[in-house]
Amino acid sequence: MVYSDYPETVRQYMDEIDRTCGTDDESFVKSCKLIQDYAGRNSDDHLFGFVYFYLAKNAYLQNDIGDLFKYCVIGMEYQEKCAQWEYMALSYNLLGITSANQGNSLFAIDYYINGRKVCEEHGLDMDAFVISMNIGNLYMRVESYDQAEEFFQESLEIISSRTDEADYNAHLATIYVNLAICAMNKQNIRIADEYLNYILQRLYRQLPPLSKINVKCFQAMLYYAQGKKELGDILIDEVTKDTRNFSLILEMYDDFYNYASFLLDVDREDAFLHMMDLLSHLVNDTQINYINRQFLSLVIKYYKKIGNQEAYLNVCAEHFEVMSRMEKEDNYVVASVINVRASLEDTRRHSAQVEIENEELQKKSETDALTGLPNRFSLNKYAESIFQHCYVNKTPLAVEILDIDYFKQFNDNYGHQAGDMCIKTVADILAGLVDDFGVYVARYGGDEFIILYHDKTESDVLYIASELKRRMTDKKLKHEYSLAVPYVTVSQGICYAVPSMKNKIWDYLYSADKILYNVKKRSRNDFGMGEVELMEH
């Protein structure tokens, strides 16, 4: 999906959807409706895949299970059809998290594994990292510590080569804490201690506050397991102090729930009640029945321990009501799982049949009829794959957008047939660059072309751009209506950078388009190069 293909108004709506997702903002609903209307008028399945993913994500953030499953089912059909693999993987992840939060571990693991398979097949390393972490957490929740360790180790392998990630240290600390918890629960106290020491010596100083609190929680638990009660109590007091006026996030629920359970077991009721107060706000805000049931189970355990029979019976009744709601919820989730599976299987069968019938047609559709160059359809596929190649190998990628200077004046005065010949002449010169320098060239539409340079230095790219300018100049194709020089020239905008996790291929196209605009404001028959910037939200 090439973002810059769309009109400015559509791009603004897409930005607004991304910015307001999860806020229950009126502008989110309005922008989604406008994108859906535009996609419907233009039969644009890529836009449908985009908007339904965000509708599903919004439903997840608003804890609307019904809409989450509904939008995922609709969106994943479009995503499968249009090869929007990142949205597909993230949709599986949302379904996995939601199923896990409802206590449906079997459904959750099925979604996660399907999502991880998409990531592996299409080189989505950081999405694979997130899903592997979620699978590890799921196994840890059901006390399958050997399996949890396998997925945490897999996550460690992925993130270890991503030292430029903004949250690199926090990710590492989370993995090592989880590995240490697994080791401690398997009675491998020495190994758990080694993991903790690695965190304290190598990572702790660079960690954000929330990650430091998580480390302290585990450290207190480990000290108690080692018989170092006094040191453990110091850490417990520090955590209580650190979490005053603290808002707990859903992603940390399991960690803090387990920590609260530990506090009750070691008779630190003061710290336990503080932690339960934090958890209660999250339980009330999310209204997720599974974590509400977990929370109430811990409250029941507390009242039984202190001998408050009346409070104990009242909470038991509340616990029963939550369990009843969960039974109804389970039926809905099971039906939704079946619906997701059936819809995707139908889409895959249909896609396979269409692929067989249209294989020859597809080959033709990837070539521009006028110039013989790859067209935009071919460009979309190649650009995504070469972006992933450069991202994985940490090598430079340059994206150039170029157009013919004052082409409208050429076309209007010499006629459309001459205009077509002009475009073909430029295409022939660009084809020569493919042969001589190994770049990728495609016709973008009208008099616009795209050049993709990969694994080339900045000086290489600048040389090739200047060579294109020279070859166009040497051609001396007459254009007496040009306001630059009396022959056909081109203007070039080039975006050059090593891809990072924050970037997408459309960021490059967006940046190249802006650079081209600035070049043409300054002069024509010229080129400019700049860095990639994220599209404005």
Side-chain angles (χ1 to χ4, degrees), residues 307-465:
N308 188 332
Q309 186 69 10
E310 183 180 354
Y312 171 81
L313 292 174
N314 287 336
V315 178
C316 283
E318 190 177 348
H319 186 272
F320 176 78
E321 290 178 9
V322 173
M323 291 294 291
S324 299
R325 290 200 298 270
M326 285 184 67
E327 284 186 25
K328 294 179 182 178
E329 201 172 72
D330 282 345
N331 292 335
Y332 179 82
V333 172
V334 170
S336 297
V337 170
I338 294 170
N339 195 14
V340 169
R341 281 288 186 88
S343 296
L344 286 178
E345 284 304 313
D346 285 346
T347 300
R348 284 166 185 164
R349 280 196 296 270
H350 177 70
S351 296
Q353 183 178 352
V354 170
E355 188 175 342
I356 292 169
E357 292 173 353
N358 293 337
E359 185 174 351
E360 202 58 43
L361 183 61
Q362 182 176 338
K363 289 179 183 176
K364 294 179 182 178
S365 71
E366 293 181 3
T367 303
D368 177 60
L370 176 63
T371 65
L373 294 176
N375 62 11
R376 185 175 292 193
F377 176 76
S378 178
L379 170 67
N380 290 350
K381 294 201 308 183
Y382 182 82
E384 289 291 349
S385 65
I386 204 62
F387 178 88
Q388 288 299 326
H389 164 83
C390 292
Y391 173 72
V392 169
N393 293 284
K394 298 189 181 301
T395 54
L397 171 66
V399 175
E400 173 178 334
I401 299 180
L402 66 101
D403 62 15
I404 301 171
D405 294 325
Y406 302 107
F407 180 72
K408 184 178 185 303
Q409 288 85 338
F410 187 99
N411 218 30
D412 289 347
N413 287 282
Y414 294 117
H416 293 295
Q417 188 173 358
D420 286 349
M421 290 304 298
C422 177
I423 289 172
K424 288 178 69 176
T425 299
V426 175
D428 290 343
I429 292 173
L430 291 171
L433 298 183
V434 176
D435 295 335
D436 295 340
F437 302 106
V439 295
Y440 175 91
V441 173
R443 187 181 180 194
Y444 201 41
D447 65 313
E448 287 187 309
F449 298 86
I450 296 286
I451 304 177
L452 301 182
Y453 311 79
H454 67 89
D455 303 338
K456 296 190 185 299
T457 66
E458 188 172 346
S459 59
D460 289 339
V461 175
L462 289 172
Y463 175 77
I464 297 168

Side-chain angles (χ1 to χ4, degrees), residues 467-499:
E467 181 65 11
L468 171 57
K469 178 181 176 180
R470 186 190 66 77
R471 293 183 186 188
M472 283 301 310
T473 303
D474 290 349
K475 197 71 178 175
K476 291 288 192 296
L477 182 62
K478 182 180 177 182
H479 185 358
E480 59 189 340
Y481 301 99
S482 172
L483 302 180
V485 291
Y487 43 83
V488 172
T489 58
V490 296
S491 294
Q492 309 170 65
I494 308 165
C495 171
Y496 181 92
V498 176

Side-chain angles (χ1 to χ4, degrees), residues 89-334:
L90 292 173
S91 296
Y92 273 126
N93 190 49
L94 288 179
L95 291 168
I97 294 171
T98 303
S99 297
N101 285 340
Q102 304 310 314
N104 295 296
S105 298
L106 289 175
F107 295 148
I109 198 70
D110 185 62
Y111 285 131
Y112 285 142
I113 288 173
N114 275 295
R116 196 179 62 148
K117 183 180 178 183
V118 172
C119 293
E120 289 172 351
E121 289 176 350
H122 302 286
L124 304 173
D125 285 356
M126 286 309 298
D127 295 319
F129 165 77
V130 171
I131 293 175
S132 291
M133 286 292 290
N134 287 339
I135 296 174
N137 286 325
L138 186 62
Y139 274 120
M140 197 159 62
R141 180 185 285 186
V142 297
E143 301 181 5
S144 296
Y145 298 110
D146 287 335
Q147 289 91 336
E149 282 179 330
E150 288 180 19
F151 285 97
F152 291 138
Q153 289 289 355
E154 184 177 288
S155 300
L156 184 60
E157 288 179 16
I158 296 171
I159 199 64
S160 293
S161 62
R162 299 286 182 270
T163 55
D164 58 338
E165 294 296 329
D167 298 322
Y168 174 73
N169 287 314
H171 288 321
L172 272 187
T174 301
I175 294 170
Y176 280 118
V177 166
N178 287 340
L179 287 169
I181 291 172
C182 290
M184 186 173 68
N185 280 286
K186 291 166 61 179
Q187 305 305 312
N188 294 330
I189 303 300
R190 181 185 61 81
I191 294 175
D193 193 52
E194 288 177 1
Y195 284 132
L196 176 62
N197 286 332
Y198 180 87
I199 297 169
L200 296 176
Q201 293 170 15
R202 302 283 189 87
L203 304 173
Y204 190 78
R205 288 184 181 179
Q206 293 81 32
L207 295 180
L210 186 58
S211 296
K212 287 183 175 179
I213 292 170
N214 192 34
V215 172
K216 286 182 180 180
C217 289
F218 170 72
Q219 193 174 2
M221 295 163 69
L222 182 60
Y223 280 158
Y224 263 84
Q226 293 172 322
K228 302 175 183 178
K229 181 179 180 299
E230 291 183 2
L231 292 175
D233 285 334
I234 292 172
L235 266 298
I236 290 171
D237 291 338
E238 285 186 19
V239 170
T240 301
K241 181 180 178 182
D242 291 343
T243 52
R244 286 176 187 154
N245 303 316
F246 183 77
S247 295
L248 195 61
I249 59 174
L250 184 59
E251 286 77 5
M252 297 296 294
Y253 173 80
D254 279 350
D255 296 323
F256 280 83
Y257 172 83
N258 292 330
Y259 177 66
S261 184
F262 152 75
L263 293 172
L264 186 61
D265 289 340
V266 299
D267 299 322
R268 282 298 309 263
E269 292 176 3
D270 55 333
F272 168 78
L273 291 173
H274 167 72
M275 193 55 57
M276 291 299 281
D277 183 56
L278 293 179
L279 289 169
S280 69
H281 291 299
L282 181 62
V283 170
N284 291 332
D285 288 344
T286 61
Q287 292 295 305
I288 296 174
N289 286 321
Y290 175 73
I291 67 171
N292 193 9
R293 180 187 67 78
Q294 273 193 314
F295 177 80
L296 290 174
S297 297
L298 205 50
V299 176
I300 290 168
K301 185 178 177 182
Y302 168 71
Y303 283 133
K304 184 176 181 180
K305 185 172 185 177
I306 66 173
N308 188 332
Q309 186 69 10
E310 183 180 354
Y312 171 81
L313 292 174
N314 287 336
V315 178
C316 283
E318 190 177 348
H319 186 272
F320 176 78
E321 290 178 9
V322 173
M323 291 294 291
S324 299
R325 290 200 298 270
M326 285 184 67
E327 284 186 25
K328 294 179 182 178
E329 201 172 72
D330 282 345
N331 292 335
Y332 179 82
V333 172
V334 170

